[in-house]
Amino acid sequence: MCDIIWCKKVKEDGTVCNTVNYLDPFNFWNWEGTIACAECGTVYYIHMIQGWMYRGPEEQPPGTKPDILPVYADKPLEGYVRYRPGVEGRTRPYLCLPRDIYLGVPDPRRFSIRGYPVRGWPNQPPSTGIAGSAGFKWEIEKLSPEVWQEFLEKKKKGEVRDW
Amino acid sequence: MLIKQGKKGLDKKFERIPLEDQPGPKSQEEMDEMKMPYEEYCRKVFDVGNEFVKPTALKGIRWLSTTMYIFTPHSVTNLAELGAEVIKIEMPRMGDPMRHTSPFNEAYVYPLHDTRPMTGTGVACFNANVNEYYISMDYHREEIKEAFYTLVRMSDGLTQCYRPGTFDRWKQSYRYLQEINPRFISVWGGGFGYGPKIWGGSYDILGQAHAGLASITGFHEDFGGHPTKSTNWNIDWYSGTQITVAILAALLWRRKTGLGTKIEFSQVQASTRCLEYGVPLYGRFGIVRQRWGNWDTQLCVHGIIICGKSDYPNDKNPQLRDEARYVMVSAFNDPDFKELCNVIKRPDLYEKYKTHKQRVEAEAQVEIYHELEKWAADKSRSEVTRILKDAGLLAMPVYNDKEVYESPHFRQRGTVRWQADPWYGDAVVHSTYSAGLMSKTPRRKFWDLRPVGGDNVKIYHELLGIPLSTIKEWYEKTII
Amino acid sequence: MGIDRSFLEKPVSEMTPDEYRLMILEPEKDTDHICWNCRHFKPVIKNSNFPPADIIGWCKKIHWPFYWCIPEHRIVKKCYAYEPIK
Ligand SMILES: [Zn+2]
């Protein structure tokens, strides 16, 4: 279940805001406070009980500070223009957003955070023997000499640490 | 020999007691040990960093692991870290599906196998199959059956996770294997085990949900809470360890009787073990436990509060910038609670809730924790911790991975350390060594993972004596 | 109903939060328990098939941190923890 605030505020230029602000149930299941429209910033008071709108949305006077922002918003009458989660000042900061380094695509690494080599990039040169059997040493000097060189450089520059 | 009485005789009598039977130190070294202060003694005995020269408790045990993901593999990793020789059997060219279950589809080490240079092995596999020899085998092919049975004849046991009856259909279940090796210990770990849902699969989340653990995890419904699972696969790791306990007991049983045994483990029932008094109380009064989130239902104050300011206000990572704000606070006995109320300048709270019985009530907790968080609203997590510690109270920040990595406590005990995996390179090791447990026969990690079939020659040729030409042929036919 | 639930006649705009919540949580049962008008009561809601057949709901208070399953056929008329809905 997800309730919405369909903002019908008439803007200064005479057009209607017509933005649908989504209220996700995990935050708004039992919730009372003020929330701003993602498009025009109009602040509404709402009181939700067990996922239902008990009071509101009631428009608040301009200048009221909102307690929270909608999780995301869109404009269905205008070809679904969207405000995705975490748009600053418009939708709620998405605190569980995976770290900025998690990109959803492979992010090949050659070195650990302390600077030692990690076999973390694809298309490694073949290194196994009969029936895929492998030794107990990554012969990096032989297999990936350029990474080994890079490591030696790093070491020289003091970029390789114990921790 | 007769012993004469008298002073001289007594001396003689003592002489006759062998040194090793006499109390006290047996050597200079032992005497030094006995004289040492306790802390120093512990450091010497456990000797963190020198695990590799220590004896291994399970040396001589050979175990087969026909397992997948985390739960059943972990039951065998425990053995391998303690010195057992473990052979992990995977599907040719594919490997354990966990290799392909990497967080955010990106954190890989390479290669999985030379024939698939662009496919990596997910780091989510780390810690679950430590120190094992990796061979590949397609159980369906007749040509490989004899090799499998030979491994069974040479091993102490096997852990498997296939659907109930599958290994039986393949003639690899206990009733077949005990005929060729009566000392064999056969372990099945899965979802439900025999019973009304025998075909049900097994997942950590099912384990958290089915036994009632998730229903009492999370915040109270009055605060908008819902039943919650732990983010990581707790019950996988927990269930694996429970199987290890069963395996060790079975090994001891076999020492007494000479016989193997069969173990069946239902993961979805595992967490009943940690549900405390909830179920017995249901039996007595017909009442069901409520969630109580970051607070405690038996002790107050004894919970986690949020502070107003982050310890990393300018970090670009929101997990540090916004979430490094939680502190665990404990002050439940009367003097501690009184001191806590003084610290937050609310002595009236102590006057109101003078006894523990009063303050452990739900309404009292709501009020007390609310006041604590109001006090902490203009402080950072480290300020709150420092102020409370200075007042002699227990306070600990809620650590994240970064802080565990940096914590001197974990480093001193060797729990978190850097170690190069011989095949995949540099990695932080956080689970093998110690992980809380210190011993004179410690756990150790030689390697985390090997490529699929990386030990085919070592096991099929060197251990079983199968000619290399046959191995090559099997490999070509993708039997291995 | 044995217990006063006349607030259900009121328009939503005149209901208190407690009354509104009880309107949303439309109960399965109808008995003479005092619990229906108590703040600590959590009813079995209509058409939910999972809970045992013979309870009307749960009390969040008297056995905290447990829910007490309130039996249908043991009519609670008086309770030390009773707090009327607001
Ligand atoms: Zn608007």
Side-chain angles (χ1 to χ4, degrees):
Chain A
M1 187 196 298
C2 176
D3 214 323
I4 58 168
I5 298 175
W6 193 313
C7 180
K8 299 283 188 187
K9 179 82 176 171
V10 180
K11 291 193 272 190
E12 276 174 19
D13 60 3
T15 56
V16 177
C17 174
N18 255 331
T19 301
V20 177
N21 297 282
Y22 291 87
L23 312 174
D24 51 309
F26 262 69
N27 268 269
F28 293 97
W29 192 248
N30 283 305
W31 199 83
E32 184 184 5
T34 52
I35 176 167
C37 170
E39 167 95 349
C40 67
T42 307
V43 176
Y44 297 92
Y45 164 85
I46 58 168
H47 184 172
M48 293 188 76
I49 291 175
Q50 296 284 327
W52 293 77
M53 197 70 85
Y54 163 63
R55 291 282 185 267
E58 288 158 17
E59 196 180 318
Q60 300 298 297
T64 311
K65 211 173 160 282
D67 296 322
I68 203 167
L69 299 169
V71 64
Y72 67 96
D74 62 20
K75 296 167 71 68
L77 305 182
E78 291 167 32
Y80 284 97
V81 178
R82 288 198 185 92
Y83 292 107
R84 293 187 172 278
V87 179
E88 206 179 341
R90 297 195 180 267
T91 52
R92 196 158 66 241
Y94 189 17
L95 295 184
C96 292
L97 200 66
R99 280 170 268 184
D100 56 339
I101 55 169
Y102 280 151
L103 310 168
V105 289
D107 175 16
R109 289 289 163 123
R110 287 156 195 259
F111 298 96
S112 63
I113 57 166
R114 65 169 190 160
Y116 280 84
V118 172
R119 210 170 183 174
W121 70 97
N123 218 2
Q124 294 273 328
S127 52
T128 57
I130 295 166
S133 61
F136 286 85
K137 186 176 187 303
W138 172 23
E139 294 173 304
I140 178 171
E141 304 96 315
K142 202 174 87 192
L143 294 169
S144 307
E146 70 293 349
V147 179
W148 180 248
Q149 274 312 316
E150 206 180 330
F151 170 64
L152 293 180
E153 304 274 303
K154 273 168 146 324
K155 216 169 171 183
K156 231 182 271 166
K157 283 189 258 170
E159 287 170 11
V160 177
R161 302 177 310 271
D162 281 350
W163 282 91
Chain B
M1 193 205 269
L2 273 173
I3 297 158
K4 283 185 192 155
Q5 295 300 315
K7 196 164 180 290
K8 259 203 145 143
L10 271 177
D11 285 344
K12 257 204 161 154
K13 187 178 170 187
F14 279 113
E15 269 170 17
R16 287 187 64 248
I17 299 175
L19 184 69
E20 57 270 27
D21 290 346
Q22 288 178 22
K26 310 286 182 295
S27 64
Q28 186 64 39
E29 211 188 355
E30 254 194 58
M31 194 161 80
D32 291 344
E33 248 181 34
M34 280 180 158
K35 278 197 242 161
M36 260 185 252
Y38 187 65
E39 165 95 21
E40 207 184 310
Y41 168 76
C42 290
R43 282 176 196 276
K44 182 155 188 271
V45 169
F46 299 134
D47 196 14
V48 166
N50 285 323
E51 287 83 359
F52 289 87
V53 299
K54 295 293 158 67
T56 41
L58 296 183
K59 189 175 176 161
I61 300 293
R62 182 181 291 134
W63 208 264
L64 306 176
S65 181
T66 60
T67 61
M68 288 180 264
Y69 293 108
I70 301 288
F71 151 46
T72 40
H74 185 233
S75 74
V76 189
T77 279
N78 281 321
L79 305 177
E81 287 177 337
L82 289 166
E85 178 189 319
V86 174
I87 300 167
K88 166 109 176 175
I89 306 176
E90 296 179 286
M91 274 296 279
R93 314 290 199 276
M94 292 274 292
D96 185 336
M98 194 66 209
R99 287 179 185 267
H100 311 281
T101 315
S102 207
F104 301 97
N105 255 350
E106 58 172 274
Y108 287 100
V109 287
Y110 298 83
L112 172 89
H113 191 269
D114 272 354
T115 57
R116 305 175 68 188
M118 299 310 288
T119 305
T121 279
V123 291
C125 289
F126 277 23
N127 299 318
N129 300 281
V130 172
N131 297 349
E132 299 176 8
Y133 295 113
Y134 287 73
I135 65 169
S136 45
M137 179 187 291
D138 183 349
Y139 309 115
H140 300 82
R141 314 281 279 270
E142 272 311 312
E143 296 95 316
I144 203 75
K145 271 278 178 260
E146 195 45 46
F148 179 81
Y149 291 137
T150 310
L151 279 173
V152 168
R153 282 185 205 104
M154 299 170 77
S155 302
D156 296 284
L158 169 150
T159 303
Q160 60 112 340
C161 66
Y162 290 74
R163 281 209 310 191
T166 304
F167 260 35
D168 198 62
R169 204 166 64 240
W170 295 348
K171 299 192 170 47
Q172 295 175 186
S173 64
Y174 179 61
R175 61 189 179 120
Y176 292 102
L177 304 186
Q178 65 158 357
E179 289 196 12
I180 57 173
N181 180 356
R183 292 168 59 80
F184 201 69
I185 297 162
S186 177
V187 182
W188 177 85
F192 291 79
Y194 80 86
K197 283 196 66 113
I198 188 164
W199 301 118
S202 187
Y203 300 93
D204 165 86
I205 187 172
L206 201 57
Q208 296 196 32
H210 190 77
L213 186 62
S215 81
I216 53 164
T217 308
F219 288 103
H220 194 271
E221 57 173 294
D222 285 1
F223 314 140
H226 303 259
T228 307
K229 78 176 268 292
S230 282
T231 302
N232 72 330
W233 296 352
N234 273 0
I235 293 300
D236 272 1
W237 297 98
Y238 174 84
S239 307
T241 300
Q242 279 182 310
I243 289 187
T244 310
V245 173
I247 289 173
L248 296 177
L251 288 169
L252 200 59
W253 162 258
R254 194 183 66 179
R255 243 175 78 174
K256 294 184 201 164
T257 63
L259 292 172
T261 186
K262 174 178 164 59
I263 294 166
E264 187 204 87
F265 187 88
S266 158
Q267 177 177 29
V268 302
Q269 299 192 342
S271 68
T272 49
R273 182 77 181 166
C274 58
L275 283 180
E276 285 180 6
Y277 52 86
V279 176
L281 246 80
Y282 176 76
R284 192 147 167 182
F285 300 115
I287 53 180
V288 178
R289 196 164 178 187
Q290 300 178 29
R291 289 184 299 277
W292 203 234
N294 280 341
W295 305 339
D296 197 284
T297 54
Q298 276 110 306
L299 297 169
C300 178
V301 169
H302 197 68
I304 292 170
I305 63 165
I306 188 167
C307 311
K309 291 186 190 162
S310 164
D311 271 350
Y312 311 90
N314 301 317
D315 203 289
K316 66 175 176 175
N317 179 350
Q319 288 164 326
L320 294 172
R321 187 186 61 227
D322 303 318
E323 294 193 359
R325 292 198 288 151
Y326 295 89
V327 182
M328 177 258 155
V329 182
S330 181
F332 51 83
N333 67 21
D334 294 343
D336 283 355
F337 182 63
K338 189 175 178 188
E339 182 59 28
L340 181 67
C341 293
N342 286 336
V343 168
I344 68 166
K345 304 212 165 50
R346 289 296 305 273
D348 56 303
L349 263 184
Y350 174 69
E351 294 305 320
K352 189 170 173 188
Y353 301 115
K354 265 195 159 144
T355 67
H356 185 260
K357 197 171 158 42
Q358 287 169 322
R359 56 183 173 267
V360 84
E361 284 294 330
E363 289 83 355
Q365 290 202 29
V366 173
E367 185 182 350
I368 291 166
Y369 283 110
H370 182 65
E371 290 305 324
L372 278 172
E373 292 189 346
K374 250 166 69 182
W375 168 74
D378 62 344
K379 295 174 186 65
S380 74
R381 186 183 62 167
S382 47
E383 280 176 280
V384 166
T385 314
R386 183 180 45 75
I387 293 169
L388 294 179
K389 275 186 177 165
D390 286 351
L393 303 171
L394 172 57
M396 272 303 257
V398 174
Y399 279 167
N400 55 33
D401 296 347
K402 169 191 164 70
E403 290 158 326
V404 167
Y405 171 76
E406 286 166 357
S407 158
H409 174 241
F410 287 91
R411 287 191 187 179
Q412 266 190 28
R413 289 170 64 89
T415 304
V416 171
R417 62 175 78 174
W418 281 99
Q419 187 180 320
D421 182 272
W423 191 252
Y424 289 118
D426 208 25
V428 188
V429 176
H430 73 276
S431 91
T432 297
Y433 298 99
S434 156
L437 174 78
M438 291 293 198
S439 165
K440 280 175 117 167
T441 55
R443 289 171 182 252
R444 71 209 70 188
K445 175 180 283 187
F446 294 101
W447 57 86
D448 237 312
L449 279 168
R450 311 256 303 138
V452 176
D455 297 296
N456 277 343
V457 167
K458 186 171 181 65
I459 300 301
Y460 287 124
H461 181 64
E462 291 171 23
L463 185 71
L464 305 190
I466 294 164
L468 285 176
S469 55
T470 311
I471 292 173
K472 279 183 193 157
E473 191 193 322
W474 284 349
Y475 184 69
E476 242 98 89
K477 291 185 180 164
T478 64
I479 293 167
I480 63 171
Chain C
M1 286 189 190
I3 299 290
D4 174 26
R5 285 170 70 80
S6 55
F7 63 80
L8 290 173
E9 317 281 310
K10 289 197 276 188
V12 166
S13 59
E14 286 170 26
M15 283 184 189
T16 65
D18 271 356
E19 290 169 346
Y20 185 79
R21 178 173 53 83
L22 290 174
M23 182 192 75
I24 297 295
L25 300 177
E26 193 187 342
E28 173 81 28
K29 299 285 169 65
D30 176 4
T31 63
D32 285 341
H33 287 69
I34 190 179
C35 311
W36 293 105
N37 273 2
C38 176
R39 298 199 73 190
H40 305 301
F41 178 62
K42 169 183 162 140
V44 171
I45 58 175
K46 209 172 187 65
N47 301 324
S48 53
N49 300 314
F50 182 61
D54 57 347
I55 67 171
I56 62 162
W58 298 267
C59 176
K60 291 191 283 188
K61 176 68 182 169
I62 61 168
H63 279 295
W64 180 89
F66 290 81
Y67 296 104
W68 179 47
C69 300
I70 304 170
E72 185 175 355
H73 301 297
R74 195 169 126 201
I75 311 274
V76 177
K77 290 281 194 188
K78 235 171 84 180
C79 175
Y80 76 91
Y82 176 74
E83 252 187 81
I85 55 170
K86 287 180 188 153

